[in-house]
Amino acid sequence: MVNENGSNGVLPKLSNGHTFELNVKHISEPKLVTPAEETPKGLYYLSNLDQNIAVIVRTIYCFKSEEKGNELAGEVLKEALSKVLVHYYPLAGRLSISPQGKLIVDCATSDGGGAVFVEAEADCCMEEIGDSTKPDPVTLGKLVYDIPGAKIFLKFLLLLLRAKFNPPLPKGYFGNGIVLTNSICSASDLVENDLSYGVGLVQDAIKMVSDGYMRSAMDYFEVTRARPSLSSTLLITTWSRLSFHTTDFGWGEPVLSGPVALPEKEVTLFLSHGNERKSVNVLLGLPASAMNVFEQEFNQI
């Protein structure tokens, strides 16, 4: 569990009991990595699914190999990124706003475009960082470079709703495939009924998401330009099918991977876990004032 600022509130501790504080040193200044080949220029228009929920999620990947060191890691990653950007060239663009008030990607910017790349080193071993499966922006946030005042186009490959469309979204689609559905009931209904009642509400909400529901959500934004409000809302989302663990740059699959912080203050996030990804980590973000109460109630179950 994490509190409302995304931190579990506790710095990692070493085996000798001392508190561990991560220090990161930049080896190079930020650089722009451009596609290895010529790519289309101009404006790249995003679908209404990309307009609904615009959230940038920072993630980390930790690799460990007995056969291969990290001396050439920076050059390997830059070359790989340059080649990937040929196929996913909008990732080298810059977010902008169209005259119609929509998010678009400018692939012909004045700075030439490119993905920002920074090489750095940390003064620790991987084991000292602690449990990186738990979001902790205080420590893990130091491993991700934040670009001051910049708007960089970062999107996740979300496949969870691919099959909800008829026909399904095409193979290779790399925009958002997510909409919000909801369950509404009174607090007394949840308290007076057993656990299966709440589970049924969530299941019914999921069943509502069909091809017609998805297209209706897209049409609604087209007409109103209104983005959904998450105020006073607990967002429940599953990332258990996202392939964080399959990323391989030459050092094998990551030993650890996951988000640096939760995407929203009040959210329940499901992540796959374990060697065969058969286990699930449930990460819950709550306001600090509610954290102790929730923990007490949970321990009584």
Side-chain angles (χ1 to χ4, degrees):
M1 294 182 293
V2 295
N3 61 29
E4 60 188 355
N5 62 10
S7 171
N8 56 23
V10 180
L11 289 174
K13 288 189 176 181
L14 303 177
S15 57
N16 60 12
H18 294 162
T19 299
F20 166 71
E21 184 174 355
L22 178 66
N23 294 304
V24 176
K25 176 184 177 182
H26 289 171
I27 299 175
S28 66
E29 292 297 317
K31 300 176 181 178
L32 291 178
V33 177
T34 57
E37 302 173 15
E38 189 69 20
T39 57
K41 304 300 181 184
L43 299 178
Y44 188 91
Y45 294 90
L46 304 177
S47 75
N48 281 352
L49 288 176
D50 290 305
Q51 312 291 333
N52 253 339
I53 307 174
V55 178
I56 294 178
V57 180
R58 300 175 297 168
T59 58
I60 63 166
Y61 302 84
C62 299
F63 299 90
K64 188 175 183 179
S65 173
E66 301 296 336
E67 297 82 25
K68 193 172 183 179
N70 62 358
E71 295 82 7
L72 300 177
E75 293 303 317
V76 170
L77 291 173
K78 279 191 288 186
E79 182 180 357
L81 178 58
S82 181
K83 292 178 179 179
V84 168
L85 289 175
V86 174
H87 304 284
Y88 297 97
Y89 65 90
L91 294 172
R94 299 292 180 266
L95 276 178
S96 185
I97 302 294
S98 73
Q100 294 76 33
K102 285 188 174 184
L103 286 172
I104 56 175
V105 181
D106 187 354
C107 298
T109 56
S110 58
D111 64 4
V116 177
F117 184 91
V118 179
E119 190 172 356
E121 61 181 19
D123 62 345
C124 69
C125 298
M126 194 182 304
E127 291 77 12
E128 293 177 299
I129 297 176
D131 186 1
S132 64
T133 61
K134 297 179 181 178
D136 181 8
V138 174
T139 299
L140 301 183
K142 296 180 180 180
L143 300 176
V144 180
Y145 180 74
D146 290 324
I147 304 165
K151 294 181 179 179
I152 303 302
F153 176 62
L154 297 175
K155 304 302 291 183
F156 265 113
L157 176 63
L158 296 180
L159 306 178
L160 301 182
L161 297 180
R162 177 189 297 278
K164 295 292 185 179
F165 279 103
N166 184 21
L169 294 174
K171 185 177 181 180
Y173 173 82
F174 65 100
N176 271 334
I178 183 172
V179 295
L180 293 180
T181 182
N182 61 78
S183 296
I184 300 176
C185 71
S186 65
S188 60
D189 286 339
L190 284 178
V191 173
E192 294 170 1
N193 289 281
D194 56 24
L195 182 62
S196 62
Y197 174 79
V199 173
L201 290 176
V202 174
Q203 291 176 334
D204 290 342
I206 295 174
K207 291 177 183 177
M208 286 195 303
V209 182
S210 60
D211 176 78
Y213 185 99
M214 297 286 287
R215 296 182 187 278
S216 176
M218 295 169 67
D219 292 341
Y220 177 80
F221 179 82
E222 184 66 31
V223 173
T224 66
R225 297 289 191 272
R227 292 180 173 84
S229 171
L230 298 181
S231 176
S232 302
T233 299
L234 174 63
L235 180 65
I236 303 175
T237 181
T238 175
W239 291 359
S240 58
R241 297 183 186 179
L242 294 180
S243 302
F244 290 114
H245 61 285
T246 62
T247 305
D248 187 347
F249 297 104
W251 289 267
E253 293 184 358
V255 179
L256 297 169
S257 61
V260 168
L262 295 177
E264 294 291 339
K265 290 182 179 180
E266 298 181 23
V267 62
T268 301
L269 179 62
F270 292 81
L271 287 171
S272 60
H273 181 62
N275 293 333
E276 297 182 5
R277 307 294 160 177
K278 292 183 178 180
S279 301
V280 176
N281 273 346
V282 181
L283 306 177
L284 176 63
L286 288 174
S289 58
M291 187 66 72
N292 291 335
V293 175
F294 174 84
E295 191 170 2
Q296 292 171 5
E297 295 293 331
F298 185 82
N299 290 333
Q300 294 178 10
I301 297 179

